[in-house]
């Protein structure tokens, strides 16, 4: 992680690229002959071929498919990190010529070579981890050996902070620890939940996961960041609601509490469907977070009928389809069916739009007669995502019609 003068410069300049800070730290340590990270940096050079599979090295047709689906934010982040690291090292040239560097400090440091910059940017972007405590990107030695999976296949978890106040052998500097989430057998591969769909895994140079439960992100029409920010403000202000009827205050309080309980800010920042064929095409949390957000906006407009979601949701296991059906059985008021009708309708529209993107991306890919390699993995990922989105459209429309009928719309 960035430290010393580099960390101080990042802390002082909020506009600096935090990913660029990690890139600059990598470049500076890579130049030192006395770096305490020498063995780790050697390892990163040896495994560089794995991250060369990332989208930073894809040919133009692949990038066209990427642009048609998840966009080019990954490449934009790389460009910003490149520019940010170069600016930081221009401001702190001593980082490249101090403490026993390969070059003679009295002669000044050699400029950064393109190959050095490409290695550092790719490594930081594909294998870096954002530290929620400091807000900086870090590299955790050994985390490159952990496979990326989903909630079903994960058996370990990277956690910020050291449990029990001691430093276990699995921890690295900075207070990170590797915690088992279930019994791990001898010789069993260690897998963390990457929280990424297969296309996103491929973009970062990870292998696609068979039957990955994380599906593609969908757009929510008229439900962008502006609406999310308003819903968050309303949820935060719920406990401070003043005026109006008592029932209105209680409704605002309860819906706001539910909005936070379901972690709706995270859920709606990147609304994602499920690719698990054995479950609903859309997570229960996604439906509820959209519905709670709509309800918060309605409550902010003035007194409305009915106080809150049914109390029958207490004690219900919503982690299963049966639990969700039991939870939904409490939505016996007209407004609840109306809000859920709108929520399912937004999901159907989002899945339909995203399916169009993924089908178009498949058409853009050239035919691969070899039938193997990155292009075939990309094709499979696009096809699986499109099929999941098609299934999402059908199920969301069916649920929307059901709610429309119940609400008498």
């Amino acid at each position: 992680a960035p430290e010393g003068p580099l960390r101080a410069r990042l802390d002082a300049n909020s506009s600096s690229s935090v990913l660029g800070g990690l890139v600059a730290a990598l470049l500076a340590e890579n130049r030192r002959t006395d770096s305490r990270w020498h063995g780790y940096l050697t390892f990163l050079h040896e495994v560089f071929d794995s991250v060369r599979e990332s989208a930073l090295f894809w040919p133009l047709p692949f990038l066209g498919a990427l642009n048609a689906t998840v966009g080019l934010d990954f490449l934009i982040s790389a460009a910003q990190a490149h520019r940010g690291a170069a600016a930081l090292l221009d401001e702190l040239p001593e980082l490249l010529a101090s403490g026993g560097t390969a070059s003679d400090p009295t002669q000044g440091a050699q400029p950064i070579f393109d190959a050095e910059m490409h290695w550092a940017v790719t490594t930081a972007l594909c294998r870096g981890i954002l530290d929620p405590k400091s807000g900086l990107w870090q590299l955790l030695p050994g985390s490159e050996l952990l496979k990326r999976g989903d909630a079903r296949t994960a058996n370990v978890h990277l956690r910020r902070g050291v449990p029990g106040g001691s430093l276990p052998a699995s921890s690295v500097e900075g207070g990170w620890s590797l915690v088992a989430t279930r019994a791990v057998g001898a010789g069993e591969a260690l897998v963390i939940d990457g929280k990424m769909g297969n296309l996103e895994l491929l973009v970062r140079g990870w292998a696609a996961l068979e039957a990955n439960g994380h599906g593609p992100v969908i757009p929510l029409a008229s439900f962008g960041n502006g609406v999310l920010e308003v819903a968050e403000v309303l949820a935060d202000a719920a406990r401070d609601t003043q005026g109006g009827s008592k029932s209105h205050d209680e409704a605002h309080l309860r819906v706001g509490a539910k909005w936070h309980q379901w972690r709706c800010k995270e859920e709606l920042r990147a609304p994602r469907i499920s690719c698990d064929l054995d479950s609903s095409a859309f997570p229960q949390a996604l439906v509820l977070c959209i519905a709670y957000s709509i309800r918060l906006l309605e409550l902010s407009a003035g007194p409305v009928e009915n106080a809150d979601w049914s109390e029958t949701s207490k004690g219900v296991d919503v982690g299963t389809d049966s639990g969700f059906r039991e939870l939904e059985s409490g939505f016996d008021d007209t407004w609840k069916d109306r809000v859920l009708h709108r929520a399912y309708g937004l999901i159907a529209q989002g899945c339909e739009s995203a399916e169009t993107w993924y089908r178009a991306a498949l058409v853009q890919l050239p035919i691969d007669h070899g039938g193997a390699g990155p292009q075939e993995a990309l094709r499979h990922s696009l096809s699986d995502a499109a099929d999941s989105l098609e299934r999402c459209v059908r199920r969301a429309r069916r649920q929307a019609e059901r709610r429309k009928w119940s609400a008498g719309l």
Side-chain angles (χ1 to χ4, degrees), residues 271-294:
R272 186 185 300 276
I273 69 166
S274 172
C275 283
D276 186 353
L277 295 176
D278 296 327
S279 68
S280 170
F282 29 83
Q284 297 95 327
L286 177 58
V287 180
L288 293 177
C289 283
I290 295 173
Y292 283 132
S293 298
I294 293 173

Side-chain angles (χ1 to χ4, degrees), residues 78-111:
Q80 292 173 339
H82 185 150
R83 185 169 60 247
L88 286 167
L89 293 175
D90 281 344
E91 296 176 16
L92 301 168
E94 64 275 12
L95 293 179
L96 298 179
S98 63
T101 60
S103 59
D104 183 355
T106 62
Q107 301 298 320
Q110 289 182 328

Side-chain angles (χ1 to χ4, degrees), residues 29-43:
E29 292 296 325
N30 191 54
R31 285 288 185 94
R32 298 174 65 95
T33 57
D34 62 347
S35 173
R36 60 195 175 104
W37 299 108
H38 178 74
Y40 179 50
L41 294 172
T42 300
F43 167 76

